[in-house]
Amino acid sequence: MRVRVATTILGITASLLAVPACSADTTGSEPTTASSARTGKPASNATLLSSAALKTHLLDENDLGSGYLRKPERPAQHDDVTVVGCPALNKLGGDAAIGGSLSFPRKATASFTYGGSSSEISEELYSGHEDTVSDGISQIFEAMTGCPIYQVVAGGTPIDMASQRLAPPRGLGDEQWSQLLTASAGGQSTVVKQTAVRAGSLLLVLSGSPALVDRHIDKALDKAMARS
């Protein structure tokens, strides 16, 4: 079973021609390894959670505050995807270029728009054995950040991609990853930040407008790790 890691690039580029170009301030960001050293914070959620249980740990409008509107779930897209200029992504397969391919059957997702603008935030929660979750997410982040510039041809549409590895947030969970993705097509660009945190057998991935991801990552992890 294939699941995406955060917002898929296909989902991002679907709105490229309908929204203004976005930009992100990355001042102060430093390259880092795909996963940081263990923080010493106790791991939690050692027991695997079902998809139904994970849904109760997702952020909702009350958690996010005023101005957020939940987006309806969109059916899975199956456009043909070809990667040009990135052997690591080619090795993982085309799906990796639009968000990754991991076999985590226990999952829950939610996406929101903010303030009636083009700003969005998406949350995904997964539950799986610690080694499997850690190895899988590490492999995909390594591949996606290993090629600073490449191209994705999705459904016949060429999309110029740029990836930048960021310093992950410290002190959260057991492992952390972060990257900035820029998708450009039709003269417009969309910038998305993806931050992933593993806490024991639980994996949280938050993506969307960089400022929104930074604002809500702590709150998302607190709710994800809360006891039911």
Side-chain angles (χ1 to χ4, degrees), residues 125-208:
L125 288 178
Y126 302 98
S127 182
H129 296 292
E130 293 183 20
D131 290 345
T132 302
V133 171
S134 178
D135 292 345
I137 192 71
S138 294
Q139 184 182 35
I140 285 184
F141 265 82
E142 285 285 3
M144 295 186 75
T145 59
C147 299
I149 299 175
Y150 57 96
Q151 188 177 73
V152 173
V153 181
T157 301
I159 304 162
D160 294 325
M161 298 298 305
S163 65
Q164 178 185 351
R165 184 177 296 173
L166 302 177
R170 303 298 180 179
L172 299 181
D174 298 309
E175 294 181 286
Q176 313 88 28
W177 303 259
S178 194
Q179 65 175 324
L180 199 70
L181 295 172
T182 303
S184 302
Q188 306 232 11
S189 297
T190 297
V191 177
V192 170
K193 184 173 185 177
Q194 297 180 319
T195 296
V197 177
R198 183 187 67 80
S201 60
L202 184 73
L203 175 66
L204 162 70
V205 185
L206 206 62
S207 66

Side-chain angles (χ1 to χ4, degrees), residues 42-114:
S44 66
N45 294 294
T47 300
L48 300 187
L49 299 179
S50 67
S51 296
L54 287 171
K55 286 183 179 181
T56 67
H57 292 267
L58 290 169
L59 293 174
D60 57 29
E61 292 90 338
N62 293 328
D63 300 313
L64 294 169
S66 62
Y68 289 86
L69 180 64
R70 186 159 186 160
K71 297 177 61 178
E73 293 188 17
R74 303 198 320 192
Q77 300 187 23
H78 301 285
D79 295 311
D80 292 333
V81 176
T82 302
V83 181
V84 180
C86 187
L89 285 177
N90 282 331
K91 184 177 180 180
L92 288 180
D95 282 356
I98 58 170
S101 53
L102 291 173
S103 296
F104 298 153
R106 297 176 176 86
K107 62 179 179 178
T109 65
S111 297
F112 302 86
T113 58
Y114 176 65

